[in-house]
Amino acid sequence: MAADSSWVRIVTAQTPTNIAVIKYWGKRDETLILPVNDSISITLDPSHLCTTTTVAVSPSFDQDRMWLNGKEISLSGGRYQNCLREIRARACEVEDKEKGIKIAKKDWEKLHVHAASYNNFPTAAGLASSAAGFACLVFALAKLMNAKESNSELSAIARQGSGSACRSLFGGFVKWVMGKAENGSDSLAVQLVDDKHWDDLVIIIAVVSSRQKETSSTSGMRESVETSLLLHHRAKEIVPKRIMQMEEAIKDRNFESFSQLTCADSNQFHAVCLDTCPPIFYMNDTSHRIISLVEKWNRAEGTPQVAYTFDAGPNAVLIARNRKAATQLLKKLLFYFPPNSDADLDSFVLGDKSLIKDAGIETMKDVEALQPPPEINNTQTFRGDVSYFICTRPGRGPVLLSDESQALLSPENGLPK
Amino acid sequence: MAADSSWVRIVTAQTPTNIAVIKYWGKRDETLILPVNDSISITLDPSHLCTTTTVAVSPSFDQDRMWLNGKEISLSGGRYQNCLREIRARACEVEDKEKGIKIAKKDWEKLHVHAASYNNFPTAAGLASSAAGFACLVFALAKLMNAKESNSELSAIARQGSGSACRSLFGGFVKWVMGKAENGSDSLAVQLVDDKHWDDLVIIIAVVSSRQKETSSTSGMRESVETSLLLHHRAKEIVPKRIMQMEEAIKDRNFESFSQLTCADSNQFHAVCLDTCPPIFYMNDTSHRIISLVEKWNRAEGTPQVAYTFDAGPNAVLIARNRKAATQLLKKLLFYFPPNSDADLDSFVLGDKSLIKDAGIETMKDVEALQPPPEINNTQTFRGDVSYFICTRPGRGPVLLSDESQALLSPENGLPK
């Protein structure tokens, strides 16, 4: 270590969130976070949904510390400790002559780290912030500590922070292989295809207003494993076939098959939640209405235009086969779920704003003038039942941000800026 | 046949409705209505929920006709035709010297019948009116035609009208044995215990307001059989064990086991509906809130006080272990789901009115003064989300009404009074 203890080494990374299209629900090992089945996800464009994490190391730090969205949080939990321990065990020598930094492999045991993490979307919105968060923390620490592991190897560490985090180590379509090893070493993510492979897809997320306190996915899946008589049948008999079919559909860009599998698997995951004792309800009436809207439209068109999938909450993630379908979908959604009168359009449709422009909607008046979709007789609308929409697409995996102005910790003292 | 063709023979019967505690969902034969698994139900007290049916025969009738709740309906559907054909095949000689009626066995082929049926509860409320209706029609016709079959044998005929109708041929707890025969002859109902066996139980039905058009159970279960990957596992692997456990629980009046099985099986039936493509949602947010209320209360008490079960609609059927639990339940329900301000108490709590008196509630003011249940932090209420409550209990099977003033058809001309 350099004699001068005033240096601070910082690294900033940005990691996407992801949405499973074949769901992860149930652990076979609670501590190592090993799942009962494989899962497959789409990585979402980090321009619209991502976590940025800066990690720092300095001889002047006297303990590991972390800040999440500006507020200091405890690192004492097992999940953080597991990630920190595993990355430290893989740390290598670092030399930065310019800054006068030299860290030997063995020094890492004594050095403390700081981490600051920020989501560019509301944490409370139930958009898998912990997946992007743990993936980003592990990725950034690996770069800070010059760990030589591949992203797949890092994914097995991120997995120990939050299961679905392992799938955020890659862009495009990602498979979390459940693995067989008792120590979890082969339970990791692999990229199926990158984000350029199927770039017709457009994704609209409906963030649904909810008055209910939701069951956390950690306790929910534990209760499902313990009480659902359907979960094990799903994991053993149904998912393995679906994984093969889904890989085929993705490889062939077969939207019909992709859509059928995505919707069926989302519904089956929620069926298992309902089969849990006591039952878990993540979807609400608004979620059900969005499903009905999509199902009716897909049937009216003859070929599926949109797939839907719901995680452990009421928000709908809608995957349109192309931009034209996405534009039509957005208009239908805005007709049924217009904003409360005090909302402005700019904060009601977030993300890729070009989609709403393509839909010919520029003002709230345009929203109010939308006509009922022809495929549905019922023209009742549900004002305020969707809080906002986010328009996005499949995106890339983690990246380092070399521009120090984007760092969340000060390069001088390693504290939040 | 008597030479004088002016005579009319009439028979009036009353048949209860029933609610399954181990659910019937899925047919292995659509025409004969043969199920994929056994089911078990409670017969509900006909004083509160029942169908009354008068059937008539006369040489003066020139076709089979039927009136439902005062409106003539077509008998051309296969389900009515199957019931009529099967009962006619079992008709025997009838002689009524007083009225000068003599019908030989072979005469029944040429004679036409009239039937009038009336539900003492709203047909639209989703309270299994077709179960009570077909059971009553078959039972009344059997008596009219002097068929010698037992109620179990008649249940196999009622089954061909509406599957769950077969369970309305008995009071108390009833099992529909799925049977093995290809012609359905062994797919029939048997009584497990009569309505006196477990008369502590009190039942409260919450009729939930719904804006959604529901999937009929006939088409819903067809789609589940065709598309749900969980249904067959449930039918083959799960239900047979549950049936044995439920029979044991009923025999022993073991409310803890009864309640656990009833709730789990209702949830699993709805899980299978959700696993159907496209998914079927029968429960809505109000149904979910009622489940949460019951689950929280049961946990707070340490032992289950109330079981819940939901059929193909959002209405909750709540089975309380005894009168004390039912009184407490009613107060909790009225607190969370008070009526709209224009409602009067008398039309908001129907059926056994003594329960609401026991709860110390006499006016709408008493309802408004109810205190939030201690086991729930959230004191938000959901005014108007329940249309009304029906208080009832387990009840007896079909009976003949000998008092002609209760007949729905005129003994003079066999037309609706």
Side-chain angles (χ1 to χ4, degrees), chain A residues 290-405:
Chain A
I290 294 173
I291 290 181
S292 295
L293 158 77
V294 171
E295 290 282 0
K296 277 180 190 150
W297 184 35
N298 282 345
R299 240 166 312 151
E301 292 285 335
T303 49
Q305 302 299 303
V306 173
Y308 55 81
T309 188
F310 294 74
D311 268 358
N315 301 333
V317 177
L318 302 163
I319 306 164
R321 67 184 308 148
N322 55 32
R323 204 167 166 85
K324 185 176 161 230
T327 311
Q328 287 179 277
L329 172 65
L330 184 58
K331 286 205 265 190
K332 288 171 203 286
L333 290 167
L334 288 170
F335 172 79
Y336 280 111
F337 305 101
N340 286 319
S341 52
D342 56 344
D344 69 299
L345 194 56
D346 208 50
S347 57
F348 191 63
V349 182
L350 308 175
D352 178 2
K353 303 271 183 183
S354 71
L355 202 66
I356 193 165
K357 287 210 185 76
D358 279 12
I361 293 167
E362 292 183 359
T363 65
M364 288 295 291
K365 270 192 187 156
D366 297 332
V367 172
E368 300 301 330
L370 285 167
Q371 292 303 303
E375 68 274 9
I376 300 185
N377 303 324
N378 189 348
T379 58
Q380 193 179 8
T381 65
F382 301 91
R383 188 174 297 279
D385 286 358
V386 170
S387 301
Y388 53 92
F389 295 100
I390 304 170
C391 302
T392 184
R393 66 177 84 84
R396 60 165 163 69
V399 289
L400 283 175
L401 302 180
S402 51
D403 178 1
E404 276 202 356
S405 73

Side-chain angles (χ1 to χ4, degrees), chain A residues 211 267-268 271 275 285 380, chain B residues 211 268 271 274-275 285 380:
Chain A
R211 299 187 288 188
N267 291 329
Q268 188 169 83
D275 187 53
D285 285 350
Q380 193 179 8
Chain B
R211 299 187 289 189
Q268 188 168 84
L274 189 43
D275 188 53
D285 285 350
Q380 194 179 7

